[in-house]
Amino acid sequence: MRLTPIEIRSHRFGSRLRGYDPIEVEAFLETVVADFEEVVRENAQLLRESERLARELDTHRGREQNIQQTLSTAQGVVDNLQRTAMKEAEVLVSEAELRAEKLLVEASATRNNVELEIAELKHLRNRLSAEVRQTVERYLSMMEVYDDAHCSAALPIDEVEPEPEA
């Protein structure tokens, strides 16, 4: 059974012969009541403080939970961004490799074409050189024939008729 300060004040003890000194008992009870009232006030204040701290704790726990959820969401976003960046990088690398391979194929084809053209030009040069040589040789042989024909039927220089000018 809990006692209140009022119950302690209002309590009256029975009297007996040769009992305790009533003034001393009353003074002690007043001291006990005053201390007990102080304890009750402190207890009430501590209860209010405890309730306030419990509310603050609940608020902080809610905030902590929000922060944890935010961190978890942020980590998920970071993970997604990393995966996306890795996929994009892989795609870019693949595309670059394909372009490089295509350029190599085109360069090889161009080199082959240039080599063919060089071979054709060398062949053409050789053919033209041979044709020029043949033409020069024909003209030389024609000149020899002409010189032989004119030398054997050589006329005196003053008898040679000048060729008509065209």
Side-chain angles (χ1 to χ4, degrees):
M1 164 174 147
R2 284 188 123 172
L3 294 175
T4 65
I6 295 174
E7 289 174 335
I8 294 172
R9 253 193 202 112
S10 63
H11 184 73
R12 298 288 169 234
F13 293 98
S15 60
R16 288 197 193 160
L17 196 73
R18 290 194 177 213
Y20 292 111
D21 180 14
I23 295 174
E24 193 177 319
V25 169
E26 288 295 323
F28 180 75
L29 284 177
E30 276 303 312
T31 305
V32 169
V33 167
D35 287 346
F36 192 70
E37 282 178 339
E38 182 64 29
V39 167
V40 168
R41 275 193 296 276
E42 285 179 11
N43 189 30
Q45 181 182 356
L46 289 173
L47 282 174
R48 286 190 302 273
E49 181 69 14
S50 172
E51 289 172 357
R52 183 186 67 77
L53 291 174
R55 285 191 304 271
E56 280 185 29
L57 182 61
D58 287 343
T59 301
H60 289 300
R61 283 184 180 151
R63 288 178 184 167
E64 179 185 14
Q65 188 177 11
N66 286 339
I67 289 171
Q68 290 294 338
Q69 288 173 347
T70 302
L71 287 174
S72 176
T73 302
Q75 185 63 45
V77 168
V78 166
D79 291 343
N80 285 338
L81 287 174
Q82 285 178 335
R83 281 193 297 276
T84 301
M86 290 299 290
K87 287 179 184 177
E88 287 177 4
E90 289 172 3
V91 167
L92 288 174
V93 167
S94 295
E95 288 175 355
E97 288 174 348
L98 287 174
R99 275 186 267 152
E101 200 172 302
K102 183 179 176 183
L103 286 173
L104 285 174
V105 168
E106 288 175 1
S108 178
T110 302
R111 187 192 73 221
N112 290 339
N113 288 339
V114 168
E115 287 175 352
L116 284 174
E117 285 182 31
I118 289 171
E120 287 175 7
L121 289 171
K122 284 180 179 179
H123 177 71
L124 180 62
R125 182 189 67 194
N126 290 338
R127 196 184 79 199
L128 287 175
S129 176
E131 286 178 8
V132 167
R133 189 178 320 261
Q134 286 174 354
T135 303
V136 168
E137 287 174 359
R138 270 189 252 133
Y139 280 120
L140 282 174
S141 74
M142 285 171 56
M143 286 178 68
E144 285 176 7
V145 168
Y146 179 75
D147 283 344
D148 287 345
H150 277 80
C151 282
S152 57
L155 299 172
I157 294 182
D158 42 336
E159 292 181 15
V160 176
E161 291 182 27
E163 289 186 20
E165 291 183 24

